Structures are given as structure tokens and as C-alpha cells.
Amino acid sequence: MSIISTLINGLSMGAVYALIALGYTMVYGIAKMLNFAHGDVIMVGSYVLFVFTMKSIKNPFLAILLAILFCVILGVLVECIAYRPLRGAPSLAVLITAIGVSFLLQSVAQLIFTVTPKQVTMFQFNSIEFNGLTIKTESIITLVVGMIVMIALTVFVNKSKTGRAMLAVSEDRGAAQLMGINVNRTIVITFAIGSALAAVASVFMLFIAPVTDPTLGAMPGIKAFVAAVLGGIGSIPGAMIGGVILGIVEQFALKYEFLASYSDAIVFAILILVLLVKPSGILGKKRHEKV
Amino acid sequence: MSEPLLQVKDLEVYYGVIQALKGISFHVNKGEIVSLIGANGAGKTTTLHTVTGLLRPKHGSIVYDGKDLTKVHPHKIVSMGLAHVPEGRRIFQNLSVYDNLLLGAYTKNDKAKINDQMEQVFEQFPRLKERRRQLAGTLSGGEQQMLAMGRALLSDPEMIVMDEPSMGLSPLLVSEIFEIIKTFREAGKTVLLVEQNAKKAMTVSDRVYVLETGSILTEGNAADLVNDERIKKAYLGE
């Protein structure tokens, strides 16, 4: 019986990883860069939630909207100020810049809010008792909302004109330009979407543990990166599958005492294993090298 | 005589320190099919990429329809009526045939007009219609070239530049592709063609420019150049 509740927890944790992994994978697919500051957008979102649920207005729903808005603006600014001037630069330069942005965001958060963890309680949840099974309401909400967001994103990317442009840029930037697609604009939209998803993920992170500190985004960010690589970086359905697998594996590891303290190690062992066995990930395509 | 639709003057393009185009000039009149022929590395593709903004010239001007293209963003050039069918087709392999065609009409907003154009393309290329739900990467080489041409047509261009449309195709398909290029002229479109298959290119072209290592070696009416001994020897293999 408890396997089912672990599974539900795993699925909901997986939905959080998937939301974050989508930001990594979309930016990688379209801008061809690893945005290692992506996890820290979650942290920024959590502080916006802290300010607007605990300090002023005290309306969690409005706070969530403001967190999404704030993260979208942040993502767009980071892209325009830090990454755009490096378009065409060696990928190592871009990677180091991304790590720099990550440190910058953490340090600014530390300056404003100090390192002391802050309590952020948005809602009071009750557990549901069902046939002797205890299910956390927040897990169900995370799972359902996460699924709705991912379905909406899939429809948007595959059916809308902007989504089609994103797929075109991710496959062949030059050919996309020949179609009249503004590549820079498409990249900005991708950063905006990724950051909005990170803001939603920050809400769910605070469901799991209602405290935040300047390093809140670091661990889930890096785990979501593992999820993106596992699913095949650049692939949207891959990020979703990778996230869910990672969430389930982690929750089952935490369930057994002899494995619990190794749960992070297991996650990173998966990364090493994927890179050894199938570097392109579950749904990743082999890169067509042009000769 | 009226102004040419495309006027290229003293174009110089560099890859780093290597000069790929050493000041070439040519023009294309409205309704013409003009070919640039020449060996590998002569600068044919470089010329086309510079015309449609994928490369920037160090010197020279490219005037299309009275406007200087050297300052225009590449994504804005297609909406000026200039479509580019790139070398190696560069269709979007992981998207459906239909989505590829829709991307061709990316700069258009009039849905009815797009559908109209789509019908025309399907009429000209019935195989694309049959396969419109298929991923473009699963098409044969000839079909992919047709898709690349159909995709260009969906932007409703006045002028089409085509880079090696016959590359890697069987002789039968090559002939088919050149028949299609002739229909572009019949539809009132202007074509700038880059080809290694000089013989075929000359049969459909009005005028030809011969490129050699970044310079224009000679130019003339296709009908005259076909009989030019030098051209015959160097490019037509006779």
C-alpha cells in the first residue's frame, strides 16, 4: 500500500523536476547553451513568494502570479544582457557566463535576504485518507497542475506559429532565418517560457518544504539537468519523461533506510550511467554531423 | 531598359582573413533565370548567402527592388519577396511536410491566402500532398528538394535564389527539377540559380555568369556561352 503513496510522491516530485528540466532542454535546443543559472530562477521565484505571502499583500494566488511575472522578466533580462552578446562565442565562454549569472543571483539574494532560511507558508494542506492510504494533497495538486502545464506547453510548441518557429530554430537556425523567423526573438520567448515554468516549480518546491534560502535552486536545478540529459537534452517529451523517472527513483530510494542517505548519489549515478551507455538520452536524436 | 530587380556591385566577402569573393558584380532582371556556374570553391554559395543576409560583405552593395540588402536583417529579407532555397535543401527533418510548408509562409498572416498558396504547391507537387503528415526527414532526396522549393513558394516570392537544386539527385530527377524551375519563370518569378551541373543550368537560363576563385571570369547569354570553346572545355566536359 505504501508503495502507491511513494509512487504518487515520486510522480509529483518528478513533475517538479520535469518543469525545471523543460527550461534546460528548451534553452539548450533553441539557443544551444546550458543555462546553469536556470535553477537559481527557482530561488528568485521562492523569494518573490516569500515577500508577497509573508510580508506584503499576503495573497498566495497573487504572489504566484507575481513570481511568474518576476521570473519571466528576470529570464529575459539575463538572456538579453548576459547571453545575447555571446551568441556565436565558444560554448565554454557561454557556460562560464551562465555559472557567473548563477553566483550573481545567489549572492544578490544573500545580500537582500541573508543566508537565514525564510519560512514561506502559502496554503494549509490536509492529507487525504483513502483505504488506509495517506496521500498528501499537495502531491496531488503538484501532479495535476504539472501535467496541465506540460500538456499546454506541448500543444503550444506543436500547434502554434511561435512554437513551430521554436522547433525550426532548434533544428536549423540558418534555415529558420531564411523562413523569416527572428532568431533572437524566438530565443527570448524560450527564456521567458523556461523562467515561467521555473516559477511554477518554485511554488511546488515550497509545498514540499516551506522554507527558502539563497541556494534553494542549486540542487533541484542540477537534478533537473540530470533529468534533461536522461530524457535526451533538447527533447521536450524527453525532459518530461526524464523528470518523472528521476522523481520516482529518488522517492523510492528515500523510502528504504539503507538507500535513503544515498538518494542524491543515485541520481548522479544515473547521469554517469546515461553518459556512458546512451549519451543522447532516452529520446535524444543522434546529431547529424554535416560533412 | 528598366532597373534590374537585383543589382550586385563589387561584392567582397571574407571568411576571417580568407577572401572568398574578390569584388564581383552581376545583375538579374525581372523575369529572368540567371545562373552562376563554376567549380567547387568558386564562391557561388558565398554569393547567395551574402545576397540573403546569412553572410555580410566587407565591401560592395546588393540592391534588391531599389533597397540595399546589406543592412537588412536576414529574417526580414524573405518578406521583401526574396526566397532562398538553400544548398542541401535544409528542410526541417523532424517536422511534418505540412509544418515545413507552413514555416515557408511564416511571414504571412492572411490564412486564406496561405491556404490558397498551399493548394497551388500541392497541385504542382502532388507527392507532397500525399505525404503532408509524414516527417520531412523520411522523404526521398527528390521529394525533399521539392519540399524545399514548395516551402520557398509559400512565401509568395517575386524572386527565388536556388543553391545546387540538382545536388545528389538521379539524372531523371535532375531533369524534373529543371522543368520545375522553368515553371517558376512561367509564373512570372525571377530566378537566380547556382549550379555545378553547368550544362543543365545553361539549358534553362537566360544569362550565365562564370565564377572562378571569387571573381567573375566571363558572362553572357546562355545560348552564346554554350558554344564558347573555353566554357565547353572547362565546365561542360566536352
Side-chain angles (χ1 to χ4, degrees):
Chain A
M1 267 330 203
S2 66
I3 286 184
I4 294 173
S5 57
T6 309
L7 192 65
I8 290 172
N9 286 343
L11 282 171
S12 94
M13 196 62 229
V16 179
Y17 288 145
L19 287 176
I20 308 167
L22 281 166
Y24 271 110
T25 221
M26 288 171 75
V27 164
Y28 180 82
I30 289 154
K32 300 284 177 271
M33 65 164 289
L34 289 171
N35 178 18
F36 274 118
H38 186 59
D40 299 296
V41 178
I42 303 166
M43 176 273 295
V44 172
S46 74
Y47 276 110
V48 177
L49 291 168
F50 164 69
V51 168
F52 292 114
T53 48
M54 310 305 281
K55 297 277 176 201
S56 65
I57 69 173
K58 304 198 173 173
N59 177 338
F61 291 103
L62 202 57
I64 292 171
L65 281 181
L66 286 168
I68 293 173
L69 186 71
F70 200 88
C71 287
V72 166
I73 293 169
L74 176 72
V76 169
L77 282 179
V78 166
E79 143 61 13
C80 292
I81 296 169
Y83 301 149
R84 183 174 294 181
L86 293 173
R87 204 88 78 227
S91 53
L92 192 61
V94 186
L95 188 70
I96 292 167
T97 305
I99 293 170
V101 171
S102 168
F103 283 143
L104 178 76
L105 293 178
Q106 289 185 23
S107 304
V108 170
Q110 197 174 322
L111 278 175
I112 301 173
F113 298 103
T114 75
V115 289
T116 320
K118 303 282 190 240
Q119 173 95 19
V120 193
T121 314
M122 281 176 284
F123 306 100
Q124 294 296 332
F125 291 109
N126 300 311
S127 293
I128 306 168
E129 293 284 338
F130 181 76
N131 271 357
L133 201 69
T134 316
I135 301 168
K136 292 184 197 147
T137 324
E138 58 265 44
S139 294
I140 301 291
I141 294 172
T142 303
L143 192 53
V144 171
V145 175
M147 271 170 58
I148 292 171
V149 170
M150 284 187 257
I151 290 168
L153 181 74
T154 306
V155 171
F156 170 78
V157 168
N158 290 301
K159 298 290 171 202
S160 76
K161 192 169 167 173
T162 306
R164 227 176 355 254
M166 290 167 77
L167 294 175
V169 172
S170 107
E171 201 175 320
D172 186 336
R173 194 182 281 185
Q177 279 184 324
L178 292 179
M179 302 299 106
I181 294 166
N182 183 339
V183 170
N184 275 337
R185 213 193 104 211
T186 309
I187 291 175
V188 164
I189 292 170
T190 308
F191 270 90
I193 293 173
S195 304
L197 297 178
V200 175
S202 75
V203 175
F204 297 151
M205 291 292 300
L206 294 173
F207 282 2
I208 296 164
V211 281
T212 186
D213 67 69
T215 60
L216 175 89
M219 206 47 159
I222 206 83
K223 283 185 185 167
F225 170 68
V226 174
V229 172
L230 170 63
I233 191 139
S235 158
I236 290 176
M240 299 178 189
I241 293 169
V244 169
I245 292 176
L246 210 66
I248 291 173
V249 167
E250 192 189 51
Q251 289 302 311
F252 271 96
L254 285 170
K255 183 172 145 64
Y256 300 103
E257 213 173 313
F258 66 101
L259 280 177
S261 52
Y262 296 110
S263 68
D264 288 350
I266 291 170
V267 167
F268 294 116
I270 289 178
L271 176 66
I272 295 168
L273 216 61
V274 171
L275 291 177
L276 280 175
V277 179
K278 199 173 184 296
S280 54
I282 297 170
L283 294 182
K285 291 196 177 63
K286 275 223 182 86
R287 209 156 263 287
H288 299 282
E289 290 297 346
K290 217 180 152 188
V291 235
Chain B
M1 213 175 92
S2 63
E3 280 283 293
L5 184 61
L6 180 74
Q7 175 90 56
V8 173
K9 264 193 192 143
D10 304 324
L11 204 60
E12 289 185 29
V13 178
Y14 288 77
Y15 291 108
V17 292
I18 298 158
Q19 189 170 16
L21 295 182
K22 299 168 181 166
I24 67 165
S25 302
F26 65 93
H27 69 273
V28 183
N29 294 315
K30 201 168 155 41
E32 267 188 324
I33 298 182
V34 170
S35 287
L36 305 177
I37 62 170
N40 257 340
K44 305 180 304 275
T45 296
T46 304
T47 307
L48 290 197
H49 278 191
T50 313
V51 167
T52 51
L54 294 181
L55 287 170
R56 293 294 181 194
K58 192 158 187 184
H59 293 292
S61 67
I62 303 165
V63 177
Y64 171 78
D65 203 10
K67 280 158 262 170
D68 187 1
L69 292 188
T70 55
K71 302 275 184 299
V72 179
H73 281 291
H75 68 263
K76 288 197 173 135
I77 286 177
V78 63
S79 50
M80 295 166 71
L82 184 56
H84 185 155
V85 182
E87 182 179 5
R89 355 251 185 249
R90 290 176 68 175
I91 54 159
F92 301 106
Q93 311 241 354
N94 300 324
L95 298 182
S96 71
V97 168
Y98 190 76
D99 280 345
N100 267 272
L101 292 170
L102 278 180
L103 280 163
Y106 184 78
T107 53
K108 304 283 170 193
N109 290 315
D110 182 349
K111 283 235 169 80
K113 186 103 191 285
I114 293 171
N115 281 335
D116 213 45
Q117 295 274 356
M118 190 76 82
E119 277 313 308
Q120 280 181 33
V121 167
F122 282 152
E123 211 168 291
Q124 188 166 12
F125 306 107
R127 263 178 288 177
L128 295 185
K129 187 171 187 176
E130 285 164 31
R131 311 204 158 180
R132 64 187 182 280
R133 304 262 163 259
Q134 250 173 267
L135 289 187
T138 65
L139 298 181
S140 71
E143 289 163 347
Q144 293 194 8
Q145 185 60 49
M146 288 175 196
L147 177 57
M149 294 196 283
R151 188 177 65 173
L153 285 175
L154 266 153
S155 70
D156 196 17
E158 179 163 23
M159 177 167 175
I160 304 175
V161 304
M162 301 183 80
D163 199 346
E164 305 277 7
S166 76
M167 192 169 67
L169 300 182
S170 71
L172 200 67
L173 273 167
V174 171
S175 300
E176 200 176 334
I177 296 295
F178 280 100
E179 284 308 311
I180 294 164
I181 295 172
K182 281 194 211 163
T183 68
F184 290 170
R185 174 167 49 196
E186 284 153 25
K189 302 199 186 298
T190 306
V191 178
L192 175 60
L193 180 65
V194 150
E195 258 297 339
Q196 280 198 39
N197 189 338
K199 205 182 236 172
K200 275 281 180 195
M202 282 178 154
T203 61
V204 299
S205 302
D206 299 299
R207 287 186 307 112
V208 175
Y209 291 85
V210 181
L211 251 74
E212 202 172 86
T213 55
S215 309
I216 287 181
L217 188 70
T218 183
E219 59 173 288
N221 289 327
D224 300 335
L225 282 183
V226 169
N227 296 315
D228 187 307
E229 286 304 323
R230 273 186 315 160
I231 302 296
K232 266 190 185 172
K233 230 179 171 168
Y235 300 103
L236 303 179
E238 286 174 15

